Amino acid sequence: MPTSSPLLIAIDGRSGAGKTTLAVELAALLREHHSVSLFHLEDVYPGWDGLADGTARYVERVLRPLAAGRTARWNAWDWDRGRDGAEHTTPAAEIVLLEGVGAATAAARAHLDAVIWVEAADAVRMRTALERDGDTYAPFWQRWADQEDAWLAEDDPAAAADVLVQGHRGPPSPQAVRLALTGLPSCAVLLAPERAGRRGLTLDCERIDAVPDPAALFSTLYGASPSAVWLDSSDATGTTGRDQRNRFSILADSGGVFGQQALHRAGVTEINLPG
């Protein structure tokens, strides 16, 4: 019998961008509060020329059943025999992470609750992929890259992404991605335990008997930060003492585990997280 539909999250990006590592580590984090299934598209690509056919199989045999709350049944590709191999299943857990090139293809997006796109420079991607797969992948790198080029010439999953991750810029940050997901309306209800953890934060204050120079203090604390603010109140009323409005200077940046930077333009708000 079908169960309630799981939260379906695609983790997409070109080969070697860092999708698999992020997916595995994000799944481990989400399992603190939820049941999680993880599906890798590489298991169903039918050979080195199979990107288009593989994403079609994924949508029909994996994504559609999961979206209906049913266990997905699919055949792993037997690379040695060049044909479909054994049948496997992906349960409709509370959350299903769908990782691989084409996970957020246009035909899939109507069924997805969130899209994560992992971006990385071409040279970095190639080096990472060949270091991972070695001689097995090397003869086919360009052959596969050409298929990715053809797909992306017709589709733009990165533009449709809810979360954009810069791959290979330091260790992957599944904590930051999980935090970003809690801010999406489609994920807010199911990820309530993660949101509650953030609401439980407390503010620690300490009063220091000193009058530092604001410019020097800002330069010392945040001079090297790529996104920092220095807010001074105006003294519009001309009052003095505790009632004057300009007695506070607020200095801050977007660093830290829960830091965020918001950019709002043309009716769209972009949230950037550190890590």
Side-chain angles (χ1 to χ4, degrees):
M1 293 291 292
T3 61
S4 58
S5 299
L7 187 70
L8 300 174
I9 302 174
I11 303 176
D12 205 339
R14 300 197 63 164
S15 295
K19 305 179 300 299
T20 303
T21 299
L22 175 61
V24 170
E25 296 190 2
L26 180 60
L29 277 180
L30 293 171
R31 287 186 179 117
E32 293 177 6
H33 300 291
H34 313 281
S35 62
V36 179
S37 293
L38 176 56
F39 173 78
H40 300 284
L41 268 75
E42 67 178 6
D43 291 331
V44 297
Y45 298 135
W48 289 111
D49 297 309
L51 176 56
D53 287 344
T55 53
R57 289 174 176 223
Y58 149 70
V59 172
E60 291 300 321
R61 302 181 188 181
V62 179
L63 194 52
R64 288 184 183 276
L66 290 172
R70 303 192 304 270
T71 294
R73 301 182 180 279
W74 47 274
N75 294 92
W77 184 251
D78 188 328
W79 289 85
D80 293 328
R81 293 181 172 85
R83 65 189 186 194
D84 282 334
E87 183 179 80
H88 295 261
T89 60
T90 299
E94 288 181 297
I95 300 173
V96 181
L97 301 182
L98 305 142
E99 178 274 327
V101 178
T105 189
R109 292 199 287 270
H111 305 288
L112 298 170
D113 297 293
V115 172
I116 300 169
W117 179 265
V118 184
E119 187 67 63
D122 291 348
V124 175
R125 292 191 302 99
M126 182 176 181
R127 183 181 69 249
T128 302
L130 296 184
E131 287 175 352
R132 179 191 63 203
D133 297 326
D135 294 338
T136 301
Y137 196 3
F140 303 101
W141 169 263
Q142 192 57 51
R143 187 167 161 183
W144 187 262
D146 290 343
Q147 294 173 75
E148 293 182 356
D149 288 339
W151 165 48
L152 295 174
E154 303 293 333
D155 193 3
D156 193 358
D162 302 288
V163 178
L164 180 62
V165 177
Q166 296 297 329
H168 303 299
R169 292 190 181 179
S173 182
Q175 293 87 355
V177 173
R178 181 177 62 172
L179 175 60
L181 290 172
T182 65
L184 301 178
S186 59
C187 301
V189 174
L190 189 58
L191 298 185
E194 287 82 0
R195 291 174 62 87
R198 180 170 183 168
R199 289 196 298 268
L201 296 175
T202 58
L203 177 64
D204 290 331
C205 301
E206 180 180 359
R207 182 166 183 167
I208 300 174
D209 189 14
V211 184
D213 175 73
L217 182 61
F218 182 82
S219 179
T220 300
L221 294 176
Y222 304 120
S225 175
S227 54
V229 294
W230 174 5
L231 304 177
D232 275 335
S233 296
S234 65
D235 189 13
T237 62
T239 56
T240 59
R242 292 184 58 84
D243 293 330
Q244 68 182 33
R245 295 172 56 189
N246 66 354
R247 71 183 189 276
F248 294 119
S249 289
I250 300 173
L251 313 180
D253 75 351
S254 60
V257 176
F258 293 101
Q260 296 185 6
Q261 179 183 353
L263 175 63
H264 184 83
R265 57 187 173 189
V268 176
T269 302
E270 297 179 4
I271 305 294
N272 294 309
L273 296 97

